[in-house]
């Protein structure tokens, strides 16, 4: 049901954890759907230097979280803001249709973290 | 290592069962309804299987109707009763923890004008029998209560429910798909009028089941067509499947006590092992193990979503199942967990291990070695673990999706 890439990111998730004194933190999802994603950012000169995540959720939720951290690191905030959930799913060679709603929120979590950063630094 | 702990989902076909079946795909391929030699060769086999099934649940062979699966049996029993007794009343009593084969059939009947009472359960998943009795009205035509629950393993007190039904002269159907072969099931003692069992849960193949219909119980046909099963269920017999079901029932009867003791030993060991070695684990179902099926263990590993746990188990060769939304194919976690009032995170965290006679103690030891680190790894990944702030609970979008 899951692609090889999903299983790779699920079984060896990249950038798991928290960033202490993160420059931005974003969380999306809820316990009702069974998926909660939290993203932590370290930003320097408008560039995302580090991203970490914590996720409660199914295989797709964990894999998309891991993938979004990889996609975001090194990007400018504006570049990261145009990353979509669909792009994350595509980078994983796709997700099962049933997972596209609740479990594919990683880009949203990233955007929330960027919003949080911008609010704190405006 | 491959460890199969999902026997409530389905079981492997037993060797003896398959051996008994194979001739009915080859030499004995006839249609049992035919008058010629090819038909005659197989009609006896159907009747033998009927006796084997009847003996296991203590009824007469004429009271057994072969069907294609447990779901068909439940549909047949409930819709067939509703139609046959609609002149008497339109009220059905069932429980909120039934299998979808019963629940969705009842929901369908509600749309046809029937009124259904879904009895609640307590935090342990148990029914209040006084409440059941109080729900009976002069319009009640059917009580349908499962003998044992597939998710949590709870065994419902069928003999007491049978007494209540008899006292009020209401027909009683029980979905015994999970009970048969695991615990003693006696339709006389329990005073049930209809009982449904399924082959693939007891070492017979998928695609065959049986319904006990007490002599004299009026029911409207569900499957129309030929005159098979004394006009009660049309369709050319699944001969090999029926033969397999018969043998599986005979084996179940022979091995019931032995299997119960062995399987319960393994289950209890895993249960104790998990509860003793992993913190923040909740047992789902009745805390008294005597009131649960011997093979079923349902536990919630707090802070972790069930599917991700299943996938990690799978990487270690362990097959189990979960009540999380992600695995139930819906947007909400198990209706059984909700009925018990289990916290939403714990409902998503629930894992069911269901044993069979092929499991071994080594397998339990292996799981107990692997499990704590898998759980810890996922907890370390979870934003709910050691969380200070409140957990967001609601999803507006899901509600909308669910309602349409
Ligand atoms: C309690 C219960 N009832 C009914 C069924 C349906 O049986 P079948 O798969 O044979 O249709 C199942 C199987 O999942 C079950 O566990």
């Amino acid at each position: 049901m899951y692609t090889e890439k999903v299983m790779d990111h699920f079984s060896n998730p990249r950038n798991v954890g928290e960033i202490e004194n993160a420059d931005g933190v974003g969380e999306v999802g809820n316990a009702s759907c069974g998926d909660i994603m939290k993203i932590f950012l370290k930003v320097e000169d408008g560039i995302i230097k580090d991203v970490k995540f914590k996720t409660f959720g199914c295989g797709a939720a964990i894999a998309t979280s891991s993938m979004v951290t990889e996609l975001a690191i090194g990007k400018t905030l504006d570049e990261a803001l145009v990353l979509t959930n669909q792009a994350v799913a595509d980078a994983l060679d796709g997700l099962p249709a049933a997972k596209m709603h609740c479990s594919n929120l990683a880009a949203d979590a990233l955007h929330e973290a960027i919003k949080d950063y911008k609010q704190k630094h405006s | 290592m491959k460890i199969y702990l999902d026997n409530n989902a389905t079981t492997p076909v037993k060797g003896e069962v398959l051996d008994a079946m194979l001739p009915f795909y080859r030499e004995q391929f006839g249609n049992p309804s035919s008058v010629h030699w090819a038909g005659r060769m197989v009609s006896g086999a159907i009747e033998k299987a009927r006796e084997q099934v009847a003996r296991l649940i203590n009824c007469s062979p004429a009271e057994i109707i072969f069907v294609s699966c447990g779901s068909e049996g439940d549909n047949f029993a409930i819709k067939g009763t509703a139609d046959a007794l609609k002149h008497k009343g339109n009220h059905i009593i069932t429980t909120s923890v039934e299998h979808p084969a019963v629940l969705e059939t009842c929901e369908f009947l509600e749309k046809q004008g029937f009124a259904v009472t879904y009895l609640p359960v307590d935090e342990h998943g148990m029914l209040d029998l006084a409440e059941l009795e109080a729900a009976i009205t002069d319009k009640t035509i059917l009580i349908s209560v499962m003998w044992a629950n597939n998710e949590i393993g709870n065994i419902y007190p069928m003999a007491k429910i049978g007494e209540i039904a008899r006292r009020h002269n209401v027909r009683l159907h029980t979905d015994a798909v999970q009970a048969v072969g695991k615990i003693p099931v006696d339709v006389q003692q329990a005073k049930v009028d209809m009982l449904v069992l399924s082959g693939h849960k007891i070492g017979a193949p998928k695609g065959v089941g049986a319904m006990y219909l007490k002599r004299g119980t009026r029911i409207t046909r569900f499957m129309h067509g030929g005159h098979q099963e004394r006009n009660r269920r049309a369709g050319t017999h699944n001969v090999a499947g029926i033969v397999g079901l018969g043998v599986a029932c005979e084996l179940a009867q022979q091995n019931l006590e032995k299997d119960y003791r062995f399987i319960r030993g393994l289950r209890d060991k895993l249960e104790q092992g998990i509860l003793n070695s992993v913190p923040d684990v909740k047992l789902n179902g009745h805390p008294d193990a005597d009131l649960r099926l011997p093979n079923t263990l349902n536990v919630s590993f707090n802070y972790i979503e069930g599917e991700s746990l299943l996938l990690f188990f799978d990487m270690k060769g362990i097959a189990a199942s979960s009540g999380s939304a992600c695995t139930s194919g819906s947007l909400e976690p198990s209706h059984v967990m909700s009925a018990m009032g289990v916290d939403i995170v714990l409902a998503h965290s629930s894992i069911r291990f269901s044993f069979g006679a092929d499991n071994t103690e080594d397998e339990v030891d292996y799981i107990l070695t692997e499990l704590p680190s898998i759980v810890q790894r996922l907890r370390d990944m979870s934003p709910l673990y050691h969380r200070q702030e409140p957990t967001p609970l609601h999803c507006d979008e899901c509600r909308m999706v669910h309602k349409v």
Side-chain angles (χ1 to χ4, degrees), chain B residues 18 43 97 120 160 190 193 221 266-267 279 297 323 336 383 391 394:
Chain B
L18 183 63
S43 53
V97 293
K160 287 190 185 140
D193 301 292
R221 273 183 107 170
L266 296 181
R267 194 277 312 271
L297 172 61
V336 177
T391 301
H394 299 292

Side-chain angles (χ1 to χ4, degrees), chain B residues 7-316:
Chain B
N7 286 275
N8 286 7
T10 197
T11 61
V13 174
K14 292 190 164 126
E16 299 96 315
V17 170
L18 183 63
D19 289 345
M21 290 172 62
L22 288 176
F24 294 91
Y25 287 118
R26 296 184 180 131
E27 313 71 72
Q28 294 168 256
F29 58 85
N31 185 329
S33 304
S34 307
V35 294
H36 48 60
W37 58 266
R40 278 198 308 278
M41 261 173 108
V42 297
S43 53
I46 302 268
E47 294 322 306
K48 180 175 172 200
R50 203 183 300 282
E51 280 166 25
Q52 289 165 317
V53 177
R55 218 171 294 131
L56 177 64
I57 61 171
N58 192 25
C59 66
S60 90
E63 293 171 314
I64 294 294
I65 303 173
F66 289 114
V67 294
S68 69
C69 60
S71 300
E72 183 194 328
D74 287 334
N75 272 264
F76 184 9
I78 297 168
K79 290 179 191 165
T81 295
D83 188 72
L85 301 185
K86 59 178 187 267
H87 61 284
K88 282 195 169 172
N90 72 338
H91 181 228
I92 295 169
I93 299 171
T94 187
T95 81
S96 47
V97 293
E98 298 297 311
H99 188 272
V102 168
L103 281 181
E104 296 200 8
T105 302
C106 288
E107 284 160 19
F108 167 80
L109 287 173
E110 280 184 289
K111 292 197 197 104
Q112 315 288 311
F114 288 85
V116 182
T117 301
Y118 300 91
L119 295 169
V121 293
D122 64 18
E123 57 175 325
H124 301 314
M126 278 307 186
L127 295 167
D128 178 347
L129 295 191
E131 204 170 342
L132 188 157
E133 186 156 15
I136 300 173
T137 72
D138 55 359
K139 291 269 177 264
T140 307
I141 51 172
L142 178 67
I143 297 171
S144 176
V145 177
M146 66 198 330
W147 199 304
N149 184 273
N150 46 307
E151 289 189 30
I152 52 175
N154 278 19
I155 300 168
Y156 296 101
M158 212 39 66
K160 287 190 185 140
I161 296 169
E163 250 166 52
I164 294 171
R166 261 314 138 82
R167 191 154 64 234
H168 293 270
N169 207 12
V170 178
R171 186 183 293 191
L172 175 61
H173 160 248
T174 183
D175 173 343
V177 166
Q178 292 294 345
V180 166
K182 298 187 183 112
I183 53 170
V185 166
D186 181 329
V187 296
Q188 312 294 334
Q189 199 200 346
K191 302 189 177 71
V192 303
D193 301 292
M194 297 183 290
L195 173 147
V196 169
L197 59 92
S198 174
H200 73 101
K201 310 286 187 184
I202 60 167
K206 296 156 187 67
V208 66
M211 176 162 98
Y212 156 74
L213 183 67
K214 189 168 151 255
R215 185 172 290 120
T217 306
R218 287 197 26 241
I219 192 160
T220 300
R221 273 183 107 170
F222 180 64
M223 193 76 94
H224 296 270
H227 300 302
Q228 291 88 353
E229 297 298 280
R230 307 222 258 116
N231 246 340
R232 294 172 300 185
R233 198 270 186 186
T236 299
H237 290 97
N238 170 6
V239 179
I242 289 169
V243 167
L245 178 61
V247 174
C249 284
E250 185 171 330
L251 291 171
Q253 192 171 19
Q254 282 166 11
N255 300 327
L256 198 64
E257 277 175 45
K258 181 171 68 101
D259 284 354
Y260 183 99
R261 247 178 289 122
F262 174 70
I263 289 173
R264 172 140 177 199
L266 296 181
R267 194 277 312 271
D268 288 351
K269 180 171 177 172
L270 182 64
E271 180 169 324
Q272 285 315 311
I274 289 176
L275 295 176
N276 292 335
S277 66
V278 187
D280 295 322
V281 172
K282 177 184 180 296
L283 177 75
N284 297 310
H286 205 285
D288 180 349
D290 287 337
L291 300 182
R292 268 184 289 139
L293 293 172
N295 79 321
T296 306
L297 172 61
N298 190 313
V299 277
S300 288
F301 295 89
N302 204 355
Y303 318 119
I304 304 177
E305 199 276 336
E307 189 203 78
S308 54
L309 201 46
L310 287 187
L311 290 169
F312 271 109
F313 285 163
D314 186 38
M315 287 185 238
K316 299 282 180 188

